[in-house]
Amino acid sequence: MTQAPATNPVVVELKDVHKRFGANHVLKGVSFAIPKGQVVAIIGKSGSGKSTALRCIDRLEIIDSGTIEVCGHAVHDPAIDLRRLRQDVGIVFQSYNLFPHLTVEQNITLAPRAVKGLSGADALAIAERTLRQVGLADKAQAYPEQLSGGQQQRVAIARSLAMEPQVMLFDEVTSALDPQLTGEVLRVIEQLAQGGMTMVLVTHEMEFAARVADTIIYMHEGKVWETGPGQMLREPQTPELRDFLSHGL
Amino acid sequence: MVDGGLNLHHLQFLAVGALWTVCLSLIAFVGGGIAGGAIALCRISPLKPLRWLTIAWIQIIQGTPLLVVLFVCYFGLSIMGLELPGLVAASIAMIIYVSAYLGEIWRGCIEAVPRTQWEAAECLALSRWQRMRLVVLPQALRIATPPTVGFMVQIVKNTSLASIVGFVELVRAGQLINNSTFQPFLVYLIIAAVYFAMCYPLSVWSRRLEQRLHFGQRAAAP
């Protein structure tokens, strides 16, 4: 990528990735690489394949051809150890997907205890730390439905962070939120970016993408159409991106 | 007593019969619940043969009258040299029947937990069994409570079929009393009232649970 310091190893790499849903050819040869510590924003119209590309990185979708390497895991390999991959990759969804029967604290401690075998006390310490990180230390005992959408999404981020992933994926995490709640979630993501977390965001927040992302990938019709730094959004090279930006902003 | 034929002994006899109805219902619910839980899990297993086997079981049992299952257990097995007392034969038949229905009800409840919950659990690196045990089953349990309590009504009512293989539960007790008093209207009205007294609270409870599931589930929780 354009901005990548040469010293940083690549942690996510897609090469000529194709994905079809039946007759619908969603990804038509997508390739990009993300060095450690970089923040990449993927933008594009709905149906451009941006969410699918993100989901392929965590093997929530299985690709038809091409290769994906994430933190040393060959994601395209059918024999992949999914649980190892998922310990290295955190993902946050548009619809939060918190576990409604558990408190905020239990939502966060569940995986560190079950997967990493941490003691209750160690897991609680992690919950406390990650909740403080997202500014919700006082909500540990609340149930998800007692929280606003923005708070739920921040808990979802804390839940992912508790597994101490190498890469964080964000799939349109503010699309279900009103502008005020969007702001509080974006602030958390921005802090993570400053902390050096490697992140891939699929987003509709252009201003935010321009400010926070090291690299922006514009996807159009299943292809990486244009790639560049945040500046790219002010000087689009292709008519498609220009058109997209004029409708989007 | 009430009039000519029916006396206190008869009512006592009916009470004992009612007690056996409750006993058989409990055996059917607990036994059928354990088998039904296993069937629900097998029904959604990633192993195809296991899935097919449980689908076949459910289809066969749901497509057969309970009465016939009962006859097979009581008369069929006795010809094969397995002479079972009425209670045992009735228990086996009821457990078979309940397992197929509760298995299918609970399978539906497990599948009613949104896919996204599985996905979120999967993305946190939980194993399949952990996802089931820690994330999906606790939610399915809440969804399952109203229809399960509702089905208990069916269990109670269907235990009356055990009267046909000579097991003295409520209906059989009534038949025996009627044979000596010849007051079918009175005797069976009493029996109907006793069944109603058992079943009505269950259906009210089921309805309440359902309402609680629909409105502000968590509000009352600690």
Side-chain angles (χ1 to χ4, degrees), chain A residues 14-31:
Chain A
L14 281 74
K15 278 188 187 154
D16 197 27
V17 169
H18 286 260
K19 171 70 186 172
R20 289 178 187 81
F21 291 114
N24 189 6
H25 200 165
V26 186
L27 300 182
K28 301 171 183 165
V30 170
S31 304

Side-chain angles (χ1 to χ4, degrees), chain B residues 39-60:
Chain B
I39 283 173
L41 290 179
C42 292
R43 177 75 176 68
I44 55 167
S45 156
L47 299 173
K48 239 182 203 171
L50 203 57
R51 248 176 11 234
W52 284 347
L53 217 65
T54 40
I55 291 174
W57 173 262
I58 290 166
Q59 291 302 327
I60 290 169

Side-chain angles (χ1 to χ4, degrees), chain A residues 100-206:
Chain A
H101 61 297
L102 300 178
T103 63
V104 163
E105 190 173 82
Q106 290 165 337
N107 262 277
I108 298 173
T109 55
L110 181 75
R113 294 181 69 172
V115 177
K116 294 188 166 173
L118 292 191
S119 70
D122 288 348
L124 277 182
I126 290 181
E128 217 173 293
R129 193 192 71 222
T130 52
L131 277 176
R132 217 168 324 119
Q133 218 173 335
V134 300
L136 289 172
D138 55 329
K139 297 292 184 190
Q141 303 308 322
Y143 281 91
E145 65 170 17
Q146 297 168 327
L147 303 179
S148 73
Q151 290 172 330
Q152 288 191 50
Q153 194 59 292
R154 282 146 66 196
V155 172
I157 293 172
R159 184 175 68 174
S160 272
L161 288 176
M163 289 296 280
E164 292 167 342
Q166 308 289 312
V167 183
M168 286 282 285
L169 310 177
F170 295 87
D171 189 5
E172 301 195 28
V173 293
T174 58
S175 297
L177 303 174
D178 64 39
Q180 192 194 344
L181 299 180
T182 296
E184 67 186 45
V185 172
L186 292 184
R187 270 195 295 282
V188 168
I189 297 176
E190 199 166 352
Q191 274 167 22
L192 281 179
Q194 285 158 1
M197 175 68 81
T198 310
M199 301 198 286
V200 188
L201 332 155
V202 166
T203 185
H204 291 294
E205 302 290 331
M206 295 303 151

Side-chain angles (χ1 to χ4, degrees), chain A residues 55 83 98 101 114 145, chain B residues 117 119 122 125 130 134 218:
Chain A
R55 290 170 61 84
R83 295 189 66 195
L98 295 178
H101 61 297
E145 65 170 17
Chain B
Q117 289 285 311
E119 205 172 82
E122 200 183 324
Q130 287 173 334
L134 301 171
R218 252 325 147 181

Side-chain angles (χ1 to χ4, degrees), chain B:
Chain B
M1 218 18 259
V2 184
D3 65 53
L6 209 60
N7 61 36
L8 203 62
H9 287 294
H10 290 137
L11 290 181
Q12 220 167 19
F13 192 61
L14 275 182
V16 173
L19 212 61
W20 279 113
T21 290
V22 171
C23 272
L24 185 55
S25 300
L26 285 176
I27 292 171
F29 180 68
V30 172
I34 292 169
I39 283 173
L41 290 179
C42 292
R43 177 75 176 68
I44 55 167
S45 156
L47 299 173
K48 239 182 203 171
L50 203 57
R51 248 176 11 234
W52 284 347
L53 217 65
T54 40
I55 291 174
W57 173 262
I58 290 166
Q59 291 302 327
I60 290 169
I61 303 306
Q62 291 200 349
T64 315
L66 173 55
L67 184 60
V68 175
V69 177
L70 189 59
F71 281 170
V72 169
C73 290
Y74 188 67
F75 300 112
L77 291 179
S78 80
I79 283 177
M80 289 166 64
L82 203 61
E83 200 90 42
L84 295 176
L87 173 62
V88 177
S91 296
I92 294 173
M94 286 298 293
I95 287 172
I96 290 173
Y97 159 79
V98 172
S99 75
Y101 280 88
L102 278 188
E104 195 65 351
I105 291 173
W106 290 347
R107 194 260 317 162
C109 294
I110 292 172
E111 289 183 343
V113 176
R115 271 310 314 161
T116 49
Q117 289 285 311
W118 283 98
E119 205 172 82
E122 200 183 324
C123 289
L124 288 168
L126 298 175
S127 69
R128 187 184 154 80
W129 177 236
Q130 287 173 334
R131 298 196 290 261
M132 185 62 103
R133 187 168 52 88
L134 301 171
V135 174
V136 176
L137 282 185
Q139 296 184 60
L141 204 69
R142 278 159 42 94
I143 303 172
T145 314
T148 303
V149 173
F151 185 70
M152 283 163 78
V153 173
Q154 301 302 318
I155 297 177
V156 172
K157 289 194 292 190
N158 277 327
T159 55
S160 61
L161 287 174
S163 61
I164 291 168
V165 297
F167 177 61
V168 186
E169 37 64 78
L170 187 53
V171 168
R172 185 74 191 135
Q175 284 171 341
L176 293 174
I177 292 167
N178 185 45
N179 286 347
S180 64
T181 62
F182 303 108
Q183 290 174 310
F185 192 62
L186 180 62
V187 171
Y188 289 121
L189 261 186
I190 292 173
I191 287 174
V194 175
Y195 272 114
F196 183 78
M198 289 188 224
C199 294
Y200 184 67
L202 285 175
S203 40
V204 170
W205 185 24
S206 165
R207 219 168 27 241
R208 288 237 178 99
L209 286 170
E210 206 163 334
Q211 278 166 358
R212 204 187 312 160
L213 201 64
H214 282 293
F215 312 109
Q217 303 109 321
R218 252 325 147 181

